[in-house]
Amino acid sequence: MINGGKNMLLAGVGGQGILLASEIICKVMMTAGYDVKKSEVHGMAQRGGSVTSHVRYGKKVFSPIARKGDIDILISFEKLETLRYLDYLKSNGMVIINDAELYPPSVNLGDATYPEDIPETVRKYFEIVKIVNASDIAVRAGNIRTVNTAILGVLSAYLDTIEAGIWESVIRTSFPEKVIKENIAAFNLGRKA
Amino acid sequence: MNELMSGNEAVARGAYEHGACFGAGYPGTPSTEILEEFAKYDGVYAEWCPNEKVALEVGIGAALAGAKVMAVMKHVGVNVAADPLFTLSYTGTNGALVIITADDPSLHSSQNEQDNRNYAKFAKIPMLEPADSQEAKDYIKIAFDISEKFDTPVFLRMTTRVSHSKSIVKLEDPVDTKDTTKIRYNPAKYVMVPFNARVARVGVEKRLQELRSFAETFPENRVEMNGTDAGIITAGMPYNYAKDVFPEYSYLKLGMVHPLPVKLIREFASKVKRIYVIEELDPFLEEQLKAQGLNVTGKEIFPYTNEFDPGVVKTAIGGNNGNLIDLSQLTIPPRPPNLCPGCPHRGLFYVLGKLKAFVAGDIGCYTLSFMKPLEGLDSCICMGASIGMSHGMSKALKDKGKGKVIGVIGDSTFIHSGITPLLNMVYNKSNAVIVICDNRTTAMTGMQEHPATGFTLQGEETKTLDFAVLASALGIDSVRVIDPYDIKNTRTVMKEELSKDGPSVVISRRACVLLKRDQADAIKPLKVNHEKCTGCKACLGLGCPPISWKRFEDMSGVSIEKKTKKQEGIAVIDTSLCNGCTLCQQLCSAGAIEEV
């Protein structure tokens, strides 16, 4: 924990809405009065590649990226990507895993196999592991493209110092008018999941 | 008002607030968003140029007229702009001219990891280096002021981590500015013939001396005294990494990395027991400090390569990073970036990969097609290199290279630096075939306009370069246009052109699948009919993300009849990802791929 804040790492696959999700977290923390920084790398046809976003908030934040072993919460949008960044977590860190599988090229081609029982592997190292089916939540919220907001809902339940109202107000300003309702619904379903 | 901004957005905002009215550049990660964002502000003029050399020359002209100008490029772009750069240092700027170089430690999206601080020293130009978005906004303003005050171009050095990280920035209102541009005649200053340049050359050294004095009291060369056990001399993003893990040390944070404040550094050094120089890439500061006789620790313990993070800094100085999980015990298939579903490059490179030819590649998304399974590209050096290289290789191979050397280059890259080497091919009677992958945009950096798209950076309609007419005008006798979604015709045309004497140009034209403006047809996704699939794996050779291979043994509860004794599974298409390009359908001899 840095100055009363947290280090988070969002991980997943290009196109899953990770950058928007980390943007929303940052704006929530800003609204709550924290200093905040986030960092990711874009370019070079990231579509389909592994994507991460570091988010750090606290009284004063220097580095926009956390070092390995210093992440409080790993938020993984895809199961395999959870494994790739496990070494970033603190020993008492928590993991939120979206129960989604997206095959990398080597698996598609049959040259590699997609690891089995990823949640079990993660549980060997960490006590607090939350598995969530965000696609299912998104469908229930009325729009499959609200997966990232559903995951933010799950995360929000673990950040009890931040009022739900702040999340909602930031979400309202982060999406086009016509999809706000579904995103708020996905957030609330995620929060209760 | 506070706003969360990337370093790039903050530079654009700072330039706007400070009354900069003119921007020119060429897209390149991580610099692209600076000019894109700047172009959106009221009252500014901004343009994409064909390349960085042109952008800097445009900037020089505007600055000599008295404008406040920024020229924006990635680190390797400065190589292209280096020719005007070195003499610009002699002429000075009249108005204000800031060159933004966005370096890419760790090569996130670049072909090399050059440290452009060396350009500041080499060209005798001051360089500022911000560490976060607020500083990016502040420093672009200071850079303009230094440029005006000292009549010098000024570098603002960004790195990927500063450009693309976001932090909180305090917004200010733009200052009132007057248009002071006019034609100013001054041949002694602008005409760099030897007679004038010798005089200007002396002026450059004098200016550098003045800047050295300026640096001594420049407030952004900032001393933060804490404990005296260790002092850290650093600049830019590594400052944050160090503060994160060693808050108890004292700091000299250099806002200006060239020229250095030698007295200030000596004074700081005298107050602490030992000094660490923390800098990514080259020992740029360290070597200068050691040349001053200072006893500092730098690259003995810090890496030369890749960007740092707080862990790198801590490990190097000797802190404990804790026990990290050893990931080598886990099997984690890599997930490299891939060409998008429906990418027009895929059909072309599928064909090229099957031809027995050397394919000299270039800079663009298509460079990714060197990977399995396409393996359709054999080299990548820099913008435009494909054409010169394929010609040189074809000449050196003589008859052995006949029909066996191809150069492949994107539309924006061709405009950037492919035209002169193509002229060279005509002039020197080449036998290579050049393919221009014309996807109607600068795709890799995120859909920027260029001279063949018909639109300017600020969205105005303009003339559209016609590649076929240009190639003919340069003297190419055989110019063909193909649709890379048509595999058979692509293969036929490539074979025909390779068999001809003399240079040919093939324009492989199909808009980038992400470019919404040019998508003519509605997407009709495809699926695999399991009753017909023979499991031949031909479609997998495209490396298209939605297509995957399912073994029979991994499919529980589904019974599919084997079409051949040897069949081990079937192909499956994830219809939610498919863009319906039909390449896989064309390869499927069993006719198993159908519209959903």
Side-chain angles (χ1 to χ4, degrees):
Chain A
M1 203 178 281
I2 40 163
N3 308 312
K6 280 186 166 44
N7 296 331
M8 300 184 206
L9 181 62
L10 289 77
V13 178
Q16 283 193 301
I18 288 164
L19 305 192
L20 180 56
S22 68
E23 184 93 7
I24 290 171
I25 299 171
C26 284
K27 286 180 178 166
V28 165
M29 297 313 164
M30 240 179 104
T31 310
Y34 290 105
D35 186 19
V36 64
K37 285 187 178 173
K38 77 158 191 158
S39 187
E40 61 258 338
V41 170
H42 18 111
M44 192 66 190
Q46 286 291 350
R47 284 221 154 194
S50 179
V51 169
T52 59
S53 180
H54 290 245
V55 175
R56 309 185 73 204
Y57 68 95
K59 195 163 163 240
K60 168 76 187 166
V61 179
F62 283 101
S63 170
I65 44 175
R67 67 182 193 269
K68 286 183 179 177
D70 206 27
I71 289 287
D72 296 284
I73 308 176
L74 172 63
I75 304 139
S76 181
F77 285 54
E78 199 275 346
K79 281 185 349 195
L80 173 61
E81 296 309 301
T82 322
L83 298 183
R84 210 182 299 285
Y85 302 101
L86 275 186
D87 56 349
Y88 272 88
L89 273 161
K90 287 178 182 168
S91 54
N92 62 348
M94 79 165 283
V95 190
I96 297 172
I97 305 175
N98 179 25
D99 191 13
E101 290 183 4
L102 292 170
Y103 290 172
S106 56
V107 173
N108 270 349
L109 295 173
D111 295 341
T113 48
Y114 193 92
E116 286 175 22
D117 299 327
I118 288 172
E120 284 313 304
T121 307
V122 175
R123 283 201 178 94
K124 271 189 228 163
Y125 299 98
F126 299 98
E127 277 178 32
I128 317 168
V129 181
K130 170 80 179 174
I131 317 279
V132 58
N133 189 331
S135 303
D136 183 48
I137 295 174
V139 169
R140 279 195 283 143
N143 186 342
I144 183 65
R145 298 187 57 170
T146 59
V147 164
N148 52 359
T149 331
I151 292 170
L152 289 179
V154 177
L155 170 69
S156 76
Y158 292 92
L159 302 172
D160 46 15
T161 58
I162 311 290
E163 294 165 35
I166 298 182
W167 287 96
E168 281 205 24
S169 67
V170 172
I171 288 169
R172 280 181 197 284
T173 59
S174 303
F175 292 96
E177 183 68 38
K178 59 182 179 185
V179 295
I180 288 174
K181 208 176 139 199
E182 289 114 308
N183 276 287
I184 296 285
F187 175 81
N188 285 323
L189 286 169
R191 196 169 164 85
K192 286 176 215 142
Chain B
M1 198 179 94
N2 287 343
E3 202 169 305
L4 187 71
M5 279 189 155
S6 70
N8 282 351
E9 289 167 333
V11 171
R13 175 74 197 186
Y16 163 69
E17 287 179 2
H18 208 51
C21 54
F22 201 106
Y26 181 80
T29 312
S31 71
T32 312
E33 300 85 2
I34 296 173
L35 206 54
E36 280 187 319
E37 292 300 319
F38 180 67
K40 292 176 190 166
Y41 287 108
D42 286 340
V44 308
Y45 175 78
E47 65 176 42
W48 289 131
C49 298
N51 65 35
E52 295 86 354
K53 177 178 188 290
V54 176
L56 182 54
E57 289 156 352
V58 167
I60 295 170
L64 290 191
K68 196 175 277 186
V69 182
M70 61 177 176
V72 188
M73 55 203 72
K74 68 181 290 175
H75 63 334
V76 287
V78 180
N79 301 339
V80 180
D83 199 2
L85 172 72
F86 281 79
T87 308
L88 165 66
S89 177
Y90 287 26
T91 62
T93 55
N94 275 352
L97 176 50
V98 176
I99 302 155
I100 297 164
T101 166
D103 291 13
D104 192 17
S106 281
L107 305 93
H108 293 287
S109 195
S110 303
Q111 67 271 37
N112 78 30
E113 201 184 32
Q114 67 189 51
D115 185 335
N116 275 12
R117 293 177 300 171
N118 294 299
Y119 268 117
K121 191 155 176 274
F122 197 4
K124 300 172 187 289
I125 292 173
M127 176 180 268
L128 304 183
E129 186 169 359
D132 61 20
S133 299
Q134 181 65 53
E135 284 191 358
K137 187 169 87 86
D138 295 340
Y139 283 19
I140 181 82
K141 297 180 181 184
I142 298 168
F144 282 126
D145 291 345
I146 293 174
S147 178
E148 268 174 353
K149 185 176 175 192
F150 292 91
D151 191 22
T152 178
V154 177
F155 271 120
L156 183 77
R157 180 190 188 231
M158 306 288 282
T159 56
T160 300
R161 209 46 83 173
V162 179
S163 282
H164 284 170
S165 64
K166 289 196 171 186
S167 54
I168 299 170
V169 174
K170 190 172 187 296
L171 301 188
E172 291 160 85
D173 292 329
V175 295
D176 285 331
T177 49
K178 285 193 203 110
D179 182 356
T180 56
T181 54
K182 61 175 184 185
I183 294 180
R184 296 154 208 259
Y185 299 97
N186 192 347
K189 184 170 160 63
Y190 305 155
V191 184
M192 284 298 103
V193 293
F195 175 76
N196 288 333
R198 284 184 199 112
V199 179
R201 170 82 187 80
V202 176
V204 168
E205 293 304 326
K206 185 167 169 281
R207 183 181 73 206
L208 208 50
Q209 285 302 335
E210 289 164 6
L211 282 160
R212 284 195 182 98
S213 305
F214 171 83
E216 296 291 350
T217 55
F218 177 50
E220 294 301 324
N221 289 335
R222 191 173 77 222
V223 174
E224 298 169 11
M225 285 310 296
N226 296 307
T228 55
D229 275 354
I232 287 174
I233 299 178
T234 186
M237 186 52 83
Y239 165 78
N240 294 313
Y241 302 152
K243 286 290 279 190
D244 224 59
V245 286
F246 293 111
E248 70 278 18
Y249 289 173
S250 290
Y251 284 78
L252 170 54
K253 181 189 174 294
L254 297 167
M256 184 152 85
V257 292
H258 185 74
L260 292 180
V262 175
K263 279 186 213 144
L264 182 69
I265 291 168
R266 283 190 182 286
E267 196 185 313
F268 177 71
S270 71
K271 291 179 188 163
V272 291
K273 288 192 188 116
R274 61 178 185 280
I275 301 262
Y276 295 107
V277 182
I278 305 184
E279 55 188 328
E280 292 166 336
L281 309 184
D282 293 348
F284 179 79
L285 303 173
E286 179 187 343
E287 284 180 353
Q288 294 182 70
L289 299 186
K290 283 183 171 164
Q292 291 289 332
L294 287 164
N295 182 20
V296 301
T297 304
K299 295 295 173 187
E300 299 97 317
I301 59 168
F302 289 100
Y304 281 86
T305 56
N306 291 333
E307 62 177 350
F308 295 173
D309 68 18
V312 169
V313 173
K314 191 157 191 186
T315 308
I317 291 183
N320 183 1
N321 252 329
N323 293 322
L324 301 179
I325 293 174
D326 182 8
L327 289 183
S328 64
Q329 294 171 359
L330 306 172
T331 310
I332 309 173
R335 193 188 297 275
N338 192 355
L339 298 176
C340 300
C343 174
H345 296 318
R346 183 172 280 107
L348 173 70
F349 284 92
Y350 178 81
V351 170
L352 296 183
K354 303 260 185 257
L355 296 172
K356 290 188 169 42
F358 186 91
V359 180
D362 223 293
I363 307 282
C365 297
Y366 48 88
T367 317
L368 294 170
S369 64
F370 85 95
M371 291 188 291
K372 278 185 176 176
L374 291 174
E375 297 178 304
L377 181 144
D378 304 301
S379 72
C380 165
I381 299 280
C382 69
M383 297 286 285
S386 58
I387 301 183
M389 282 175 66
S390 53
H391 169 62
M393 188 175 285
S394 156
K395 279 282 168 190
L397 289 168
K398 298 183 189 128
D399 282 351
K400 285 174 284 178
K402 198 159 172 7
K404 295 206 177 313
V405 186
I406 301 169
V408 182
I409 186 164
D411 46 347
S412 189
T413 310
F414 175 72
I415 294 165
H416 180 285
S417 43
I419 300 170
T420 37
L422 188 62
L423 178 61
N424 182 55
M425 287 182 76
V426 175
Y427 174 52
N428 287 309
K429 304 178 187 179
S430 195
N431 260 329
V433 175
I434 300 304
V435 183
I436 301 173
C437 307
D438 181 12
N439 63 2
R440 317 301 301 145
T441 185
T442 317
M444 190 167 75
T445 45
M447 310 296 134
Q448 285 73 36
E449 306 293 354
H450 62 59
T453 67
F455 292 89
T456 69
L457 166 56
Q458 293 184 302
E460 285 178 29
E461 283 196 46
T462 182
K463 293 233 182 196
T464 307
L465 171 65
D466 184 326
F467 290 118
V469 172
L470 174 64
S472 299
L474 291 176
I476 300 282
D477 292 327
S478 184
V479 181
R480 308 280 294 272
V481 179
I482 56 168
D483 177 357
Y485 272 7
D486 182 342
I487 292 179
K488 196 174 163 196
N489 187 53
T490 298
R491 188 187 296 124
T492 304
V493 169
M494 284 309 303
K495 284 187 171 168
E496 283 172 10
E497 294 310 310
L498 285 167
S499 69
K500 286 180 186 168
D501 281 328
S504 307
V505 166
V506 175
I507 299 165
S508 174
R509 179 170 297 148
R510 171 65 76 159
C512 171
V513 72
L514 302 180
L515 183 65
K516 294 204 172 71
R517 183 171 69 208
D518 284 18
Q519 298 306 327
D521 312 320
I523 293 165
K524 290 180 187 162
L526 303 174
K527 62 169 186 184
V528 176
N529 182 339
H530 298 164
E531 303 304 320
K532 293 186 183 170
C533 178
T534 60
C536 73
K537 294 189 177 178
C539 54
L540 289 164
L542 291 165
C544 189
I547 309 176
S548 60
W549 175 249
K550 286 267 188 284
R551 288 169 178 277
F552 288 135
E553 63 209 56
D554 295 337
M555 294 189 290
S556 53
V558 188
S559 80
I560 294 168
E561 196 189 329
K562 287 187 182 184
K563 263 63 74 186
T564 63
K565 272 188 186 170
K566 284 183 180 170
Q567 185 176 355
E568 292 175 335
I570 53 163
V572 177
I573 295 176
D574 180 343
T575 54
S576 71
L577 296 174
C578 176
N579 278 319
C581 72
T582 77
L583 292 181
C584 55
Q585 206 171 25
Q586 294 169 45
L587 294 179
C588 183
S589 54
I593 297 177
E594 305 165 347
E595 276 183 25
V596 173

